[in-house]
Amino acid sequence: MSIAGALSNALSGLNANARAAELVSSNVANAMTEGYAPRSLELSTRSLGGAGSGVRVEGVIRHTDNVLIGDRRLADAAIGHTGTHAQFLSDLERVIGSPDSAGSLSGRIAQFEASLVEAAARPDSEARLSAVLDAAKGLTSHLKTTTDNIQNARLEADRGIALQVDQLNAGLKDVQFLNTKIQEAMMRGVDPSGMMDLRQLKIDEISSIVPLKEIPRDHGQVALITTGGALLLDGKAAELEFSTVNMIVPEMTQAGGALSGLTINGRAIVTSAERGPIAGGSLAGLFDVRDDLAVSAQSRVDAVARDLVERFQDPSLDPTRAPGGAGLFTDNGAPFDPLDEVALSTRLTVNAAVDPDQSGAIWRLRDGLGAAVPGDVGNASLLGDLADALSENRVPASGGFLGAARSSAGLAADLLTVIGAERNQTETRLTFSTAQHNSLRQMEYSKGVDTDAEMQKLMMIEQAYAANAQVISTVDEMLQTILGL
């Protein structure tokens, strides 16, 4: 080997060692940086005229496990989906209240029943009749509060959808921009690893909104597609559109056109299907809350209100009431129409005939809604019949409950049981998804920067650097000797 060849080899080695030391420094410095992938040099032998001429730095290799990252992103989406469901069901269960709480739905019914029994024991007591009225009003108020909370949850979900659609659009634009910059860097021969780290973080940020699959494309670019088959990015980012509303009432549904659906590049997509284009992430979870879970919950609450109205609207219960007239509980003062059950819980009121605040008379609870004058103050038959009507076993006419006969208190307990069971199932799935996410995240961390290995690599780089420097020093001595001849 000539002196010039030896010098060229040593210089190329020093250059490669310097670049390798720089990568080790970057790896160690970013060992705890989120989204950072370890780097290493890609080297090849350089030849000149068929003879070895040192080492060439081909580029930087960014080490990632794309399968592991993809699985972890799907776990992120599962947490977003089940977490949204669990939060709604937990809040609804809290609003309805546990049976041992006086302010719960079951507690209100128990209080109403107890007040009827106490009034029947002393039908002449105006205080006890007033307690019946107050308990009845408390029951209607609780049903209205429950409905208000359900509709507020739907409105919050609607706003959440709008926010997440904006986040998704912005995230897709960022990934598109980074795709372009990465392509430009690779075409110029510049290391794009830093931008790839940032792109990975950007995709991670939106992976909980919709479950994503990352597909590699030429020149370092990637395409993004949901597990349901919706193409969100392939060269150009898709545009998602959604319109929010200022208020939501039980009658408003997406199917009826009162609530917005979701479009991708102007094309409407199905948001309710379990295997739909966006199924599995927090965005689908919010659509589920707004259009499915909350609607079903509202239907059950309305069924409880209907059961309550129909128990006291029985024509045989109060002979003083006009045929077809409203019972103790009314639909905004009118008799209940089975064809108009939606949002009944919001319209439920106590009959004005027994309410002194509405020009009624409290003694009509004892003597009958249609009584013109007070009757025998010792007659407790109607109060007893009202208590019996509340505890009578009836099959609920709606709400999707099982077809078993039950009392009013039993129906309220079943409502809470159904919601509690759904919450337990959802929280079980959430626990599994969280555990899966944590395991995958730990595996991902284990494939990150190993500082011990980097230190060992640095020692080898130092040795190689010293060897190349020694060659250069020897070449220098040889040249000095030749020049001195």
Side-chain angles (χ1 to χ4, degrees):
M1 178 183 293
S2 66
I3 293 177
L7 182 60
S8 176
N9 289 348
L11 288 174
S12 69
L14 286 177
N15 178 61
N17 291 333
R19 188 72 181 93
E22 180 185 347
L23 286 183
V24 168
S25 174
S26 176
N27 287 341
V28 173
N30 291 282
M32 301 301 293
T33 301
E34 189 76 20
Y36 181 86
R39 279 85 147 138
S40 66
L41 276 186
E42 182 181 10
L43 303 175
S44 65
T45 301
R46 188 172 64 183
S47 62
L48 183 62
S53 183
V55 63
R56 177 188 292 111
V57 176
E58 296 288 351
V60 176
I61 302 175
R62 181 174 177 270
H63 299 279
T64 59
D65 188 335
N66 291 328
V67 173
L68 180 59
I69 292 173
D71 288 343
R72 191 259 303 156
R73 285 172 177 164
L74 293 180
D76 289 342
I79 290 175
H81 187 258
T82 54
T84 302
H85 285 196
Q87 184 63 53
F88 168 74
L89 293 170
S90 178
D91 290 344
L92 179 59
E93 190 176 28
R94 176 184 52 79
V95 170
I96 294 174
S98 59
D100 57 349
S101 173
S104 67
L105 179 59
S106 294
R108 297 282 188 182
I109 292 176
Q111 182 182 5
F112 180 47
E113 185 174 9
S115 67
L116 285 170
V117 173
E118 291 176 358
R122 285 288 307 277
D124 60 321
S125 172
E126 185 173 332
R128 295 194 179 189
L129 294 176
S130 295
V132 172
L133 178 61
D134 290 342
K137 287 182 175 181
L139 182 53
T140 61
S141 176
H142 190 282
L143 290 171
K144 290 178 182 177
T145 299
T146 302
T147 293
D148 288 343
N149 277 270
I150 292 173
Q151 300 311 311
N152 286 337
R154 295 182 73 199
L155 182 59
E156 288 301 316
D158 189 79
R159 293 170 177 170
I161 292 169
L163 179 62
Q164 292 198 1
V165 166
D166 289 342
Q167 291 175 343
L168 190 54
N169 281 327
L172 292 174
K173 292 289 186 183
D174 289 341
V175 176
Q176 176 186 331
F177 174 79
L178 289 169
N179 265 346
T180 302
K181 292 300 180 182
I182 290 168
Q183 181 183 28
E184 292 174 355
M186 295 183 73
M187 294 178 68
R188 295 200 313 268
V190 178
D191 176 25
S193 297
M195 287 182 286
M196 288 181 171
D197 289 340
L198 181 56
R199 183 178 65 187
Q200 179 176 318
L201 285 175
K202 289 296 182 181
I203 297 174
D204 287 348
E205 288 175 1
I206 60 177
S207 63
S208 64
I209 299 177
V210 289
L212 295 171
K213 289 184 178 180
E214 181 180 323
I215 303 172
R217 291 288 189 256
D218 294 337
H219 306 298
Q221 298 190 82
V222 296
L224 297 177
I225 186 171
T226 70
T227 55
L231 185 62
L232 298 183
L233 173 69
D234 194 2
K236 183 178 180 182
E239 184 70 25
L240 287 79
E241 294 183 351
F242 174 82
S243 300
T244 189
V245 295
N246 294 323
M247 65 171 293
I248 293 181
V249 295
E251 294 86 353
M252 295 173 65
T253 63
Q254 183 184 161
L259 297 176
S260 172
L262 184 68
T263 64
I264 299 180
N265 291 331
R267 183 175 181 178
I269 64 169
V270 177
T271 58
S272 59
E274 291 185 2
R275 299 183 180 274
I278 62 167
S282 59
L283 182 60
L286 289 171
F287 272 108
D288 288 344
V289 168
R290 192 195 69 171
D291 300 331
D292 183 17
L293 295 179
V295 172
S296 296
Q298 183 63 58
S299 174
R300 295 188 184 109
V301 173
D302 287 337
V304 172
R306 173 178 180 173
D307 177 78
L308 191 64
V309 171
E310 290 182 336
R311 285 175 183 273
F312 297 97
Q313 197 170 283
D314 189 334
S316 63
L317 183 62
D318 181 4
T320 69
R321 184 163 51 90
L328 180 59
F329 294 98
T330 73
D331 185 350
N332 263 344
F336 168 65
D337 181 0
L339 299 179
D340 188 20
E341 183 179 337
V342 177
L344 173 63
S345 52
T346 66
R347 307 189 303 268
L348 193 66
T349 59
V350 177
N351 199 312
V354 302
D355 187 1
D357 294 338
Q358 301 182 65
S359 302
I362 196 72
W363 48 262
R364 288 197 176 95
L365 284 169
R366 178 192 64 224
D367 299 325
L369 296 174
V373 295
D376 181 3
V377 296
N379 184 6
S381 59
L382 179 57
L383 291 169
D385 290 342
L386 293 176
D388 291 341
L390 194 64
S391 60
E392 177 188 359
N393 289 330
R394 300 176 71 253
V395 177
S398 59
F401 293 99
L402 295 177
R406 68 208 85 186
S407 65
S408 182
L411 183 59
D414 283 352
L415 171 65
L416 185 62
T417 298
V418 169
I419 294 171
E422 291 179 353
R423 178 188 57 78
N424 286 332
Q425 292 174 2
T426 302
E427 289 184 347
T428 298
R429 292 195 298 270
L430 178 60
T431 300
F432 172 79
S433 298
T434 302
Q436 182 184 40
H437 171 272
N438 291 339
S439 297
L440 292 169
R441 178 63 82 177
Q442 287 300 117
M443 294 171 63
E444 193 176 346
Y445 286 151
S446 70
K447 293 180 178 293
V449 176
D450 184 342
T451 53
D452 291 337
E454 294 297 325
M455 291 298 100
Q456 293 175 6
K457 189 185 299 183
L458 184 60
M459 293 175 63
M460 296 176 64
I461 293 170
E462 290 174 351
Q463 293 173 3
Y465 189 92
N468 285 296
Q470 184 62 43
V471 171
I472 293 175
S473 178
T474 302
V475 168
D476 180 62
E477 291 178 3
M478 293 173 66
L479 289 174
Q480 292 298 330
T481 301
I482 292 172
L483 290 174
L485 291 177

